[in-house]
Amino acid sequence: MIGLNDNGAPEGIEFKADLTLERLKPRLEEVWRNNEIDEAQRSEFERRLHAHWRPLFEILFRLYGSRYDFFFHIERILQTAAQAWSDRPVELRDLDRHRINEPDWFQSEKIVGGALYVDLFSDNLVKAREHVDYFQKLGLSYLHLMPLFAVRPGNNDGGYAISNYRSVDPRLGTIDDLRMLAADLRRAGISLVLDFVFNHTADDHGWARKAQAGDREYQEFYYLFPDRTVPEQYEATLREIFPTVRRGNFTWHDGMQQWVWTTFNSFQWDLNYGNPAVFRAMLEEMFFLANVGVDVLRLDAVAFIWKQMGTDCENLPEAHLLIQAFNHLARISTPSLLFKSEAIVHPDEVVKYISPQECQLSYNPTLMALLWESLATRQVGLIMQTLRHRHRLPEHTAWVNYLRCHDDIGWTFDDDDAAMIGINAYDHRQFLNQFYTGQFPGSFARGIPFQENIKTGDMRISGTMASLAGLEQAIEEDDEEKKELAIRRMILLHGVTLSIGGIPLLYLGEEWGMLNDYEFVTDPAKAGDSRWIHRPKMQWDYLEELNDHIESGNGSIRNHIFKSTQQLIALRKSLPALAGQNMELINTFNSHVLGYLRIFEGHRLIVLANFSEEVQCVEGNKLRTAGIGRFFEDVIEKKTFETSAPVELEPYQILWLKRV
């Protein structure tokens, strides 16, 4: 029997790790010999291997040490890591060395992100290469391509039902097209981000097909049950992710005469990470993508990757151990690769995935939700209450701050945070749902419901940034004042995400103010998913408007939004104070104005953001004491303020104030 020490680790684990590595070294020699790897490259790999081996071995031992075939799998995992380094292109090895010496490169003020669907933005990967100049012109240095791999026909959850991780959807191109795009982006100084859908595969993935054909080895890649006895035991503590679409977490498969665990959709089969063969197989897919030229992998549905009877099977400790193991292996074989977590769960759980040992980056869904909440209420109380204790992150990590994405808006604030300032969380979410679907009196928004549950009152919101901010309503009514206010709201929101600390991320189309696409309902594969309303196809004739001189009409609106967004991005990249994650809130003593200070290596910038359509004032003395100076210039409007007088903010105005 193996005992545990005071830290919960197996007794003598370091000895066991070292002895295991010594026994496995001949297997490494085989890889080096077969791939003709020289001594310098071997030494480089082995230095990193020794640095990470002990903690990696301990994790794998905790997860799989009781398995009869543990030694076989750890041998294969080590060989997989060595092969990945052997296969790594020279230019990516050079990038590895550079980023090992500059590990916080992603915290630079010069990192600005964009996200897009290739087919909706560029038609295909070849045309996407033609748009690299556009990305540079906008100011992007980080580009997230939404799922582009081969998917099942028909409904594929927007690309998240993967049929093959090594094959691009043929409508978009080939894996070689992706490699060439990655190289183009790298030369342009733009990091490539892709999704790593590692909780589940499509039901037509090769592994699933083998399982359906009766291959016992691959049936153990998934969770299969001959009857409802065990699924019902699990269901007692599981929640339903899409209750209005399907009930329960298991799907009956006629061919196998088995129940399959399907957390999300019936065609997305959850992988069984209790089986080390699954871990190794997904490790191979991860390394393949890294060697294509991917800089960041967004780990999809990280909260769900480990199952345990009697729990909700979300955010379990083993899920964190799995990500740590993937991370150690990345540091060994593809050290410039970073992970970004996607955990749309309670804010307290989101932050648990963020560390140099797990995910260096994380989406910030709470900030997104509360920026829209502040626009609806014209109050900054809840966002201030939340930021006080939820913005800070461990060193060497960063938030990815976004306003809209491919997904819906869920009101992911903490109920206790709301209660602290006298807000009833349930009632407030009902208000926000009414406001952003345009049902609340005086609302400017034009969102539509996503996954509305009449019985529970649960709902999330779909809609483009511009439609939610009031531009759709303003254009419908041809109201110039409302158009101006809508644009101001959009620039305000961009101004916050570009300055608050972390990587700002635009869902491309936002820079043009693209409106809801109501035509999605004509496509049977999309009609049942309202999120397609905020995934409009790019209209490239908009580019022609960049040089126009139209004074009114929609063309000038798009031009104005683009130029303003482009200017803010350029300003961000010129301000060292906006590097890093450090942000200190400023009490503006004005319930409509969010204030914070950004500091980095002696550089300071004060940000004031008015979430009201009324003029607001902040005492100048707040600037003097926070910014340590008497005169400040708004770098956006090039206007100087004296701290001896109140600072006046126009409706929805944002100020970036630098001491002069």
Side-chain angles (χ1 to χ4, degrees), residues 17 22 45 47 74 185 225 246 268 295 298 325 342 366 393 467 484 507 524 549 557 568 575 589 593 619:
E22 190 64 31
F45 174 89
R47 281 196 303 273
I74 203 163
L185 292 171
F225 306 95
R246 56 183 292 269
Q268 290 167 303
D295 297 275
R298 168 190 172 274
E342 185 266 353
T366 304
L393 291 178
S467 290
E484 177 62 25
Y507 186 75
H549 299 284
I557 290 175
L568 281 176
L575 295 168
F589 295 98
V593 180
E619 286 300 319

Side-chain angles (χ1 to χ4, degrees), residues 220 231 242 400 408 476 513 569:
E220 291 187 357
F242 297 139
V400 176
D408 54 274
E476 284 176 356
I569 291 171

Side-chain angles (χ1 to χ4, degrees), residues 228 231-232 234-252 259-268 270 304 453:
R228 288 290 300 181
E232 289 296 346
Y234 276 112
E235 290 281 24
T237 53
L238 297 178
R239 69 182 174 111
E240 295 174 323
I241 304 303
F242 297 139
T244 62
V245 175
R246 56 183 292 269
R247 305 311 306 268
N249 290 269
F250 298 85
T251 299
W252 176 253
W259 288 93
V260 186
W261 197 317
T262 55
T263 295
F264 295 98
N265 289 289
S266 59
F267 49 80
Q268 290 167 303
D270 285 39
F304 299 89
N453 188 321

